[in-house]
Amino acid sequence: MKKAISICVLALLCSCNTVKTYYQVYNTESETVKSSGNSIFFEDANCIISYNLWSENGNAGFSFYNKTEEVIYLQLDQSFYVINGNAYDYYQNRVFISSSNSATVSSNTSGYSLLGRLSYTSLNSKTVTSHQSKGLEITEAKVIAIPSKTTKSISEFNINETIFRDCDLLRFPSSKQVSQKSFNKENSPLKFYNSISYKIGDKINKVKNDFYVSGITNIASSDAFKQEKNAFCNQKGGGTIDVFKEIAPNKFYIIYTKTQADTWKY
């Protein structure tokens, strides 16, 4: 009898620890960034600035292509990431240290929280080194030179790290069910843009690439993916792979979970 009770208690504890995964997918629109095929970009006479927001928590960074025959100088100390009216510097006057025999690692990630500010998390680890080790100290550049017909990528900030909650948005939709909410530019919960300055010759040009969240979808992990044949150059490799259904350069996602103890509907 005691053994039967123990088994029941163990089963109950296991069920309480069951974790289900969900995705909150954000769709964005822009009045200054064009869409063509599977790419979104801004273009003027000198450059093409392209974006791919698709990543966990969203990638607000950009790739800068120099169309001209001259060197273009990207002015990081005059370029900013702005979200819901809060501005953040691309140039942060940092020093990076590398070593051939050991490493001192310091990493920072930045992302927007719905509290209205960027949240910073850092991980610092130190390795004791011998006196023979040699390190290289690199100071962050204020200005980045981009040669003719080449591209350089800048990636610094995440877009959003906190799930959006709303009374019209089911937090944990059931299988085969999605929960969606749409927005326009005026009532969007997230509006963000890159203010980019670059110099060519003696002239400084300023570009503003803006986005706003136009829709949010909550979906269970089991419904977020589809299976496709594993192939390369039209050659089938056998088996299938899971592909995210919503993947697009103007979208990004947040992963969140539910346990049996979580009873929130929205």
Side-chain angles (χ1 to χ4, degrees):
M1 180 67 178
K2 289 183 178 179
K3 184 177 181 181
I5 293 174
S6 298
I7 292 174
C8 290
V9 171
L10 181 60
L12 181 61
L13 290 173
C14 290
S15 66
C16 290
N17 290 327
T18 300
V19 177
K20 294 183 179 180
T21 302
Y22 291 81
Y23 290 83
Q24 183 165 88
V25 182
Y26 292 71
N27 185 77
T28 69
E29 293 186 24
S30 173
E31 295 178 352
T32 58
V33 175
K34 299 185 293 184
S35 175
S36 178
N38 291 322
S39 62
I40 54 175
F41 60 93
F42 165 87
E43 183 174 8
D44 64 15
N46 304 313
C47 67
I48 299 175
I49 303 173
S50 57
Y51 292 86
N52 186 0
L53 310 182
W54 184 258
S55 67
E56 183 177 357
N57 303 323
N59 177 17
F62 57 92
S63 294
F64 191 106
Y65 175 70
N66 179 359
K67 294 168 55 177
T68 74
E69 301 298 329
E70 301 181 53
V71 176
I72 288 181
Y73 296 91
L74 186 59
Q75 313 286 306
L76 281 189
D77 59 336
Q78 299 179 46
S79 299
F80 309 95
Y81 173 64
V82 181
I83 184 162
N84 283 7
N86 297 292
Y88 301 92
D89 301 327
Y90 269 105
Y91 172 68
Q92 298 177 34
N93 196 28
R94 292 167 293 190
V95 175
F96 303 96
I97 300 175
S98 64
S99 171
S100 58
N101 295 331
S102 63
T104 299
V105 180
S106 177
S107 63
N108 292 294
T109 58
S110 307
Y112 182 75
S113 82
L114 293 178
L115 297 176
R117 62 182 183 275
L118 282 176
S119 58
Y120 292 90
T121 58
S122 63
L123 173 65
N124 298 302
S125 62
K126 295 182 178 179
T127 304
V128 177
T129 64
S130 69
H131 67 280
Q132 296 177 337
S133 65
K134 295 181 180 180
L136 178 64
E137 186 175 288
I138 303 172
T139 303
E140 184 175 19
K142 290 184 180 181
V143 178
I144 295 178
I146 305 176
S148 171
K149 313 300 182 184
T150 66
T151 299
K152 288 191 178 181
S153 297
I154 306 297
S155 183
E156 190 65 48
F157 300 105
N158 292 333
I159 300 171
N160 185 28
E161 296 177 346
T162 306
I163 65 168
F164 177 80
R165 297 177 65 181
D166 188 271
C167 294
D168 295 326
L169 199 61
L170 291 175
R171 191 177 184 190
F172 304 113
S174 60
S175 182
K176 306 302 180 184
Q177 177 187 32
V178 296
S179 183
Q180 298 176 314
K181 187 174 178 67
S182 298
F183 307 93
N184 55 42
K185 188 175 181 180
E186 285 66 39
N187 66 10
S188 175
L190 288 176
K191 303 175 187 178
F192 57 96
Y193 65 87
N194 280 317
S195 177
I196 302 168
S197 296
Y198 70 88
K199 185 176 182 180
I200 180 168
D202 295 326
K203 183 180 179 182
I204 293 181
N205 298 269
K206 294 185 181 294
V207 173
K208 179 181 176 182
N209 295 153
D210 66 313
F211 300 85
Y212 68 92
V213 169
S214 59
I216 296 177
T217 301
N218 289 346
I219 186 171
S221 177
S222 58
D223 300 316
F225 295 88
K226 61 182 178 180
Q227 288 193 332
E228 292 185 355
K229 293 284 187 180
N230 190 13
F232 183 77
C233 293
N234 297 319
Q235 179 182 353
K236 301 277 192 319
T240 59
I241 56 174
D242 290 330
V243 179
F244 209 104
K245 295 178 181 177
E246 297 285 341
I247 187 168
N250 67 322
K251 296 182 179 182
F252 64 94
Y253 62 92
I254 294 176
I255 301 175
Y256 62 105
T257 58
K258 178 189 178 184
T259 66
Q260 292 293 326
D262 197 335
T263 59
W264 289 105
K265 184 177 181 181
Y266 302 102

